[in-house]
Amino acid sequence: MVEKLSLREKEVEAGQVHVYETMMREVKARNERLAKGRKVVSGKSLPFQIGRQGTIRHYLSDSIKDTAVDKWSIFVHEIKTHSGKHRHQGGLNIFVLKGKGYTTVDGVRHDWDAGDLICLPVKKGGVEHQHFNLEGKPSRWLAFINNHIIEMLGRFVEQRETSPDWKGQG
């Protein structure tokens, strides 16, 4: 009887998807893609784009599939006067490259300067935040988001105000 069950378990009906084998193929394909992916992402080839949050250059995101890593969003944000204001679950780290300004987190002001790290906490219901530049020239910072964590927390973004740079494009 054990032998017959074992034979039946090995048989897959015609047209039936074998979930484990499909997953194994997908893992292998992902690992091969990552092994062959770009090791250097050149900022010179990436344009700054103006969106609801402001002027941003994306180095990595879930839509960029040709690099040696995935599940990260990494971008540079240039702030002329102030960013848009939005709310999401947090878990974001921002390294200030140049400039001086402040970030409001749930209405509380936090000053920053070049070389500082801004850490947006993970918080039930999300964290509302907005960034302000205090100098006459644009400030810049680099954001790091681990999308594995954000997906586990339940990804959401709620735009509260738009950047003054946004003119309603696309």
Side-chain angles (χ1 to χ4, degrees):
M1 181 72 164
V2 171
E3 194 173 313
K4 287 184 180 180
L5 272 177
S6 145
L7 286 174
R8 270 191 234 140
E9 288 173 355
K10 291 180 184 176
E11 295 173 4
V12 178
E13 292 180 27
Q16 183 180 3
V17 175
H18 196 291
V19 176
Y20 184 79
E21 293 305 319
T22 300
M23 181 210 50
M24 292 299 290
R25 282 192 298 275
E26 289 170 356
V27 167
K28 182 180 178 186
R30 175 186 173 270
N31 289 344
E32 288 172 358
R33 177 179 50 81
L34 294 176
K36 294 175 185 174
R38 288 185 292 160
K39 309 306 186 266
V40 175
V41 179
S42 172
K44 293 176 186 173
S45 66
L46 303 171
F48 274 95
Q49 298 175 324
I50 299 173
R52 296 181 200 295
Q53 275 302 100
T55 305
I56 298 174
R57 174 187 282 160
H58 292 273
Y59 286 81
L60 292 176
S61 73
D62 284 343
S63 62
I64 298 171
K65 303 283 187 196
D66 66 341
T67 63
V69 296
D70 64 359
K71 299 297 183 185
W72 280 92
S73 289
I74 299 177
F75 57 91
V76 169
H77 192 158
E78 184 174 274
I79 302 169
K80 295 173 184 154
T81 57
H82 61 83
S83 69
K85 180 192 295 185
H86 67 193
R87 183 175 68 97
H88 57 76
Q89 63 276 81
L92 169 69
N93 296 299
I94 300 168
F95 182 76
V96 181
L97 299 169
K98 69 178 186 176
K100 180 178 178 135
Y102 66 94
T103 295
T104 58
V105 179
D106 294 327
V108 177
R109 178 177 167 153
H110 302 274
D111 289 3
W112 46 257
D113 204 342
D116 290 347
L117 183 67
I118 304 163
C119 304
L120 296 180
V122 173
K123 188 176 123 187
K124 184 177 180 177
V127 125
E128 181 181 84
H129 54 284
Q130 187 171 23
H131 313 282
F132 295 85
N133 180 28
L134 292 176
E135 297 184 323
K137 56 187 177 191
S139 60
R140 253 186 208 181
W141 48 253
L142 181 63
F144 298 87
I145 305 169
N146 183 310
N147 290 324
H148 284 291
I149 293 168
I150 298 303
E151 288 169 9
M152 286 190 306
L153 294 172
R155 181 186 300 260
F156 77 91
V157 177
E158 180 184 284
Q159 194 73 37
R160 300 268 173 106
E161 294 177 22
T162 58
S163 165
D165 299 337
W166 174 249
K167 306 290 185 227
Q169 302 98 312

